[in-house]
Amino acid sequence: MMHMSKQNQIRLDAEFFSGTALDMAPKLLGSKIFRRFLDGSVKSFTITEVEAYMGENDKANHASKGKTPRTQVMFKAGGYIYVYLVYGMHWMFNIVTGGEGSPEAILLRGVSGCSGPGRLTRMLEIDSRLNGMHLNDLKDLWIEKAQQNISYSAGPRIGVDYAGEYWSKIPWRFWINPQEY
DNA sequence: GGGACGATTGAA
DNA sequence: TCAATCGTCCCA
């Protein structure tokens, strides 16, 4: 007999992330990321802010410069993890989306109680060891579907001025409206 | 081998 | 406003 509390907990997997980054980024809002820490404890945090990076045309996307050792994971099918170091000190956590050969990912920028992509990876003990792993295989990190529809806002992505007028302004950052959580 | 640069953060 | 800090990528 299935335990009642498990009934509505749907773990997001490769199927969910086979959608495009642009479609799935706002759908991630309100879902919960679970982390089993080194000390064995498990905590969950609501995902409150994300950004979509879409394909080779997107000049803000690392993969716009083609497939390199760093970006090759983005070319895989949805569900893989892309972690990289920026400014020599902050780990960025992304979930690859879309079909094989289409370099897309969703960057986690905020969770409940923690704003900022570098801060949240530090809090969640995320580093390069997760790079290239697949969400379906992980036992100590997973994401559960949002229980309800969430109202959200959209605006330009942060820190991508190098991408030029169009790509730096396109509203592909999404965040939960504050009253929602 | 060298140099420029970055999907950020925290302190001045 | 600005330094920290180092992996990645490009050029030679």
Side-chain angles (χ1 to χ4, degrees):
Chain A
M1 172 181 177
M2 184 172 288
H3 195 282
M4 291 296 283
S5 68
K6 290 276 188 186
Q7 192 169 349
N8 293 322
Q9 296 175 356
I10 300 175
R11 181 166 163 162
L12 300 181
D13 58 8
E15 184 185 349
F16 179 89
F17 292 106
S18 68
T20 70
L22 193 52
D23 286 341
M24 305 322 281
K27 292 190 171 67
L28 254 196
L29 296 173
S31 65
K32 286 184 180 170
I33 184 166
F34 286 74
R35 183 61 159 146
R36 185 186 308 279
F37 293 93
L38 290 175
D39 68 4
S41 66
V42 175
K43 291 176 182 147
S44 72
F45 306 85
T46 300
I47 295 174
T48 58
E49 184 182 355
V50 296
E51 280 176 354
Y53 289 83
M54 281 288 292
E56 294 183 85
N57 291 331
D58 177 2
K59 295 298 184 220
N61 188 354
H62 292 159
S64 67
K65 296 186 178 70
K67 192 183 281 191
T68 68
R70 181 176 63 155
T71 63
Q72 50 92 13
V73 65
M74 294 186 77
F75 288 78
K76 295 189 176 191
Y80 284 89
I81 304 297
Y82 172 41
V83 176
Y84 67 92
L85 186 68
V86 72
Y87 296 110
M89 59 189 91
H90 304 296
W91 298 107
M92 302 286 106
F93 178 83
N94 300 257
I95 304 169
V96 174
T97 60
E100 171 142 20
S102 175
E104 310 173 7
I106 299 170
L107 168 70
L108 256 62
R109 290 195 59 91
V111 297
S112 49
C114 183
S115 158
R119 287 197 203 102
L120 74 84
T121 55
R122 193 177 54 190
M123 183 184 73
L124 292 172
E125 298 179 351
I126 287 169
D127 61 29
S128 63
R129 286 172 291 185
L130 280 171
N131 188 46
M133 309 286 276
H134 197 287
L135 268 184
N136 287 16
D137 301 330
L138 295 177
K139 302 284 194 290
D140 48 15
L141 188 155
W142 68 96
I143 299 173
E144 292 184 4
K145 189 178 189 296
Q147 297 291 92
Q148 63 208 32
N149 285 333
I150 293 290
S151 96
Y152 64 90
S153 302
R157 294 171 292 182
I158 303 294
V160 295
D161 287 350
Y162 60 83
E165 179 73 13
Y166 180 80
W167 294 105
S168 65
K169 295 284 171 37
I170 197 166
W172 286 356
R173 179 167 61 99
F174 306 94
W175 62 94
I176 294 184
N177 290 333
Q179 65 271 21
E180 292 278 343
Y181 66 98

